[in-house]
Amino acid sequence: MYPSAMDGGTALIPTRFVWPYGGRSVYLSGTFTGWSQWPMAPVEGCPTVFQTVCSVPPGYHQYKFIVDGEWRHDENQPFVSGSYGTVNTVLLARESDYLPAVLTARIPPTSNMDVDNQAFQRLVRVSDVALPDDASRISQTDLDISRHRISAVLSMHSAYELLPGSSKVIALDVDLPVKQAFHILHEQGIPMAPLWDFSRAQFVGVLSALDFILIMRELGNHGSNLTEEELDTHTISAWKEAKFYLSRQANEHGKSAPRRLVWSGPDDNLKDVALEILQNGVATIPIIHSPAQDGSYPQLLYLASLSEILKHICRYFKHSPESLPILQLPIGAIPLGTWVPRIGEPNRQPLAMLRPTASLSAALNLLVQAQVSAIPIVDDNDSLLDIYSRSDITALAKDKIYTHINLEEMSIHQALKLAEESSAPYGLSSQKCQMCLPSDPLLEVMERLSRPGVRRLVVVEAGSKRVEGIISVSDIFKFLLG
């Protein structure tokens, strides 16, 4: 039974309040409880977070917390000085604008999900389902101004500015056996590496996690000419030729050209680098410098990604966010990312999701066929449990696991456990599955996506963690650059 402030026939709004700062006993008291104390219960699996739900009429309200017998207020929420001292405030305009919003921290112990406390431990916020009309309206003028300023900034800075003071860049010889190459990717904790051809004295391509996925699917194909024994001698160049042949077979017209190496020079501006990545659908791009005009003697300087360019944007506009009017817009009101279609909406690209009991074979097929880099793993209620990404496949290189597994028999849950164990030494597991809310502002989402190792955010419904969409770094740039 929820505490309520009855106000005649006024419709009451179930509103969730949370105290995320610990304590032995926590109570809520406010104008909607007549300032009587209402007990708050710790969230399951997260004993330092207390919550309760109150039925509150629309209007302006004040409230405080009683923590271990002391009156407290949350300094991270709106507050004013009143007759009860410093109190937090909330304004509920109408029922359709507000909804409970707090994390139910019931995360499986083997999950890789990382929870952003700032996003999920908020007391009351705008609904993640129905944003007010004035907040969801995007001004074309504001959009054009923001895009112009971002393009101008990126055009004034070069790829050379992305280069760190010191770093290690790994390239692979095309004559290296495929088996050994994937062991190197796994041991170094990297999802891809440029390929060097000594006979041509130039970089000719990249070997990525997608290659490993295609190889694993070929090994699982009974009609394949590729065997596990051949992986010991099968070179990268031989695999690339076989991949080209397979792509020609898959193409009904039989016409296909080998994919050229996508790269940029250190003097290229950041806008051109970003567009090169987007237009070619790659995750990273080698920064290559050649001292000769004919391109001979190329030097691999760095592997640049959109995340680093996004970090550059965030750093540039950090102290003047008002110069980009779109930064405070909620992501749920912006046309970017892939979302679960709502009832009555026109058909659009569906969001690929799988259950943890699905086979690894199903996950690999979906990654290839849907041309996505990651798949949210959800329970029967479509609540987020974890995420399986392309790079997780390299975990199968550990101890030659791929030689004694059946893709149809191994579940995604088992594969994720292997990936978690594999990524633990590199500190990547905590960055793997991160969430945000539809009401989070674009600036906050950009800042999180610019962090090392964060490639995407899964958009979830507050409280239930029901998956509503997914936003990648490339989605952000497609929106920002128009």
Side-chain angles (χ1 to χ4, degrees):
M1 182 177 180
Y2 301 155
S4 61
M6 300 305 295
D7 188 17
T10 302
L12 302 180
I13 305 170
T15 305
R16 182 167 291 153
F17 296 83
V18 63
W19 174 262
Y21 309 111
R24 292 185 299 274
S25 65
V26 181
Y27 295 85
L28 174 70
S29 180
T31 53
F32 42 85
T33 68
W35 291 105
S36 61
Q37 298 182 15
W38 184 261
M40 302 180 70
V43 172
E44 180 181 351
C46 195
T48 61
V49 180
F50 291 77
Q51 69 172 353
T52 190
V53 177
C54 297
S55 295
V56 182
Y60 176 81
H61 299 282
Q62 297 180 350
Y63 60 94
K64 294 190 70 167
F65 301 92
I66 300 92
V67 183
D68 298 336
E70 295 185 8
W71 286 85
R72 302 278 297 276
H73 72 282
D74 188 344
E75 295 181 353
N76 293 317
Q77 301 299 324
F79 59 87
V80 297
S81 296
S83 55
Y84 283 83
T86 303
V87 296
N88 289 115
T89 63
V90 61
L91 175 63
L92 301 184
R94 58 183 186 273
E95 185 174 5
S96 63
D97 286 349
Y98 292 86
L99 215 61
V102 69
L103 170 67
T104 302
R106 187 163 52 197
I107 300 175
T110 59
S111 171
N112 288 320
M113 280 198 290
D114 179 71
V115 177
D116 183 356
N117 290 334
Q118 291 183 348
F120 283 88
Q121 296 179 352
R122 292 180 184 171
L123 295 166
V124 181
R125 64 187 301 157
V126 177
S127 165
D128 301 321
V129 176
L131 293 167
D133 292 339
D134 57 345
S136 61
R137 188 178 298 119
I138 302 177
S139 164
Q140 187 61 44
T141 300
D142 287 346
L143 185 58
D144 292 342
I145 291 174
S146 298
R147 285 175 170 172
H148 174 75
R149 289 175 178 170
I150 289 174
S151 294
V153 169
L154 293 181
S155 298
M156 291 188 300
H157 296 268
S158 69
Y160 183 83
E161 298 176 53
L162 299 179
L163 273 61
S166 62
S167 64
K168 177 176 67 174
V169 183
I170 296 176
L172 301 176
D173 189 335
V174 292
D175 292 327
L176 197 68
V178 170
K179 178 180 177 180
Q180 186 177 348
F182 283 115
H183 276 289
I184 293 174
L185 293 184
H186 165 68
E187 292 169 358
Q188 297 297 325
I190 54 178
M192 59 82 70
L195 300 176
W196 173 257
D197 188 333
F198 270 102
S199 63
R200 299 164 60 183
Q202 64 183 24
F203 293 97
V204 294
V206 297
L207 187 73
S208 69
L210 179 59
D211 287 297
F212 198 10
I213 290 176
L214 295 175
I215 288 176
M216 291 301 299
R217 293 176 75 211
E218 273 299 296
L219 289 176
N221 181 3
H222 297 295
S224 173
N225 294 320
L226 182 63
T227 65
E228 294 173 3
E229 291 76 15
E230 288 179 331
L231 286 183
D232 289 329
T233 57
H234 206 69
T235 65
I236 298 175
S237 59
W239 158 247
K240 288 296 184 179
E241 291 177 6
K243 180 181 176 183
F244 173 56
Y245 174 76
L246 292 172
S247 66
R248 289 190 62 183
Q249 282 189 322
N251 188 307
E252 60 181 9
H253 301 293
K255 297 180 180 179
S256 179
R259 191 169 185 177
R260 68 177 182 87
L261 173 65
V262 180
W263 62 280
S264 289
D267 296 325
D268 293 344
N269 68 65
L270 293 181
K271 181 180 178 181
D272 288 343
V273 174
L275 290 175
E276 192 75 14
I277 293 175
L278 290 176
Q279 292 166 0
N280 289 278
V282 295
T284 57
I285 187 169
I287 305 299
I288 298 175
H289 170 66
S290 175
Q293 292 185 349
D294 61 359
S296 58
Y297 308 106
Q299 300 172 3
L300 177 61
L301 302 180
Y302 193 57
L303 297 178
S305 67
L306 289 177
S307 297
E308 293 167 304
I309 302 177
L310 186 61
K311 184 176 181 179
H312 188 90
I313 295 174
C314 293
R315 185 168 57 240
Y316 188 91
F317 292 101
K318 180 178 181 180
H319 301 295
S320 58
E322 66 282 352
S323 63
L324 293 181
I326 62 174
L327 289 184
Q328 297 307 319
L329 287 174
I331 57 171
I334 300 175
L336 80 163
T338 304
W339 296 75
V340 174
R342 299 188 186 278
I343 297 176
E345 285 186 333
N347 293 333
R348 56 181 175 181
Q349 180 183 353
L351 178 62
M353 296 186 289
L354 288 174
R355 304 282 186 263
T357 53
S359 69
L360 178 56
S361 176
L364 300 186
N365 289 337
L366 191 56
L367 286 171
V368 174
Q369 295 168 3
Q371 297 182 343
V372 295
S373 60
I375 304 169
I377 308 303
V378 299
D379 62 16
D380 292 338
N381 297 316
D382 289 343
S383 295
L384 185 65
L385 297 175
D386 215 316
I387 194 165
Y388 191 84
S389 61
R390 285 182 184 175
S391 57
D392 288 325
I393 193 68
T394 58
L396 300 182
K398 181 181 180 181
D399 301 326
K400 303 180 183 178
I401 295 175
Y402 61 85
T403 63
H404 54 266
I405 65 167
N406 186 310
L407 297 181
E408 294 289 347
E409 295 177 357
M410 174 172 276
S411 69
I412 295 177
H413 175 70
Q414 294 171 319
L416 283 168
K417 291 183 66 176
L418 290 174
E420 182 181 9
E421 295 170 359
S422 175
S423 59
Y426 309 103
L428 301 176
S429 59
S430 63
Q431 301 287 349
K432 185 169 175 287
C433 184
Q434 298 218 4
M435 302 174 286
C436 65
L437 301 175
S439 55
D440 286 341
L442 176 60
L443 176 60
E444 181 179 320
V445 170
M446 289 170 56
E447 290 176 340
R448 294 190 63 196
L449 284 171
S450 68
R451 297 173 187 171
V454 181
R455 299 174 183 173
R456 64 195 65 84
L457 297 179
V458 182
V459 187
V460 300
E461 178 186 64
S464 70
K465 298 199 299 291
R466 186 188 304 274
V467 174
E468 296 192 353
I470 189 167
I471 296 176
S472 66
V473 184
S474 60
D475 291 328
I476 295 291
F477 274 89
K478 289 175 184 176
F479 173 71
L480 294 181
L481 297 180

